[in-house]
């Protein structure tokens, strides 16, 4: 169920984003519209496939404490990894134009894919 919701969410995001950027010529707003549409469909599909029956309106403070102790190191390391992946774009944006930043971002994605395949 999770895989299905993720795949459908990605497909909707890519489809809506592509149509919004290419056909409607919305640029960055089109990309954001695609992301929002994909997330909305993914959430709806997750709820429809039975995710809601596992939810509870009761908050267990002990359980929340356990979850926070477990996840805090991961949140910190994920934030640091995200920052290290995208901090270069801040410098490129300051030194060059937004168009140049877009070209750089595409090149960086292709390079990361090649690096992944080599690994």
């Amino acid at each position: 169920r999770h895989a299905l919701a993720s795949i459908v969410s990605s497909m909707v995001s890519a489809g809506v984003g592509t149509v919004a950027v290419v056909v409607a010529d919305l640029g960055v707003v089109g990309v954001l519209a695609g992301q929002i549409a994909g997330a909305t469909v993914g959430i709806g599909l997750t709820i429809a496939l039975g995710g809601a029956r596992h939810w509870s309106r009761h908050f267990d403070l002990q359980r929340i404490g356990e979850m926070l102790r477990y996840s805090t190191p991961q949140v910190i390391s994920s934030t640091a990894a995200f920052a290290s992946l995208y901090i270069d774009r801040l410098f490129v944006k300051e030194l060059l134009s937004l168009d140049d930043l877009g070209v750089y971002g595409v090149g960086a994605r292709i390079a990361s894919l090649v690096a992944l395949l080599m690994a």
Side-chain angles (χ1 to χ4, degrees):
R1 291 182 289 200
H2 175 71
L4 176 64
S6 294
I7 290 168
V8 170
S9 174
S10 296
M11 289 172 46
V12 169
S13 178
V16 170
T18 300
V19 169
V21 171
V22 175
V23 176
D25 196 30
L26 293 177
V28 174
V29 173
V31 174
L32 294 174
Q35 293 293 320
I36 292 169
T40 303
V41 169
I43 290 169
L45 188 58
T46 299
I47 292 170
L49 291 175
R53 69 177 164 207
H54 298 291
W55 298 344
S56 172
R57 293 184 186 176
H58 170 71
F59 287 108
D60 184 353
L61 291 178
Q62 182 178 359
R63 175 66 64 108
I64 291 172
E66 290 175 22
M67 293 184 339
L68 288 173
R69 281 192 300 279
Y70 176 79
S71 64
T72 299
Q74 184 178 8
V75 169
I76 293 169
S77 67
S78 296
T79 303
F82 181 81
S84 71
L85 286 173
Y86 292 103
I87 192 123
D88 56 341
R89 286 164 174 77
L90 293 175
F91 291 108
V92 171
K93 181 181 137 320
E94 290 300 318
L95 298 173
L96 303 172
S97 70
L98 283 176
D99 291 335
D100 294 331
L101 177 62
V103 171
Y104 177 81
V106 170
R109 292 235 175 161
I110 292 170
S112 67
L113 178 62
V114 171
L116 178 65
L117 292 174
M118 288 176 51

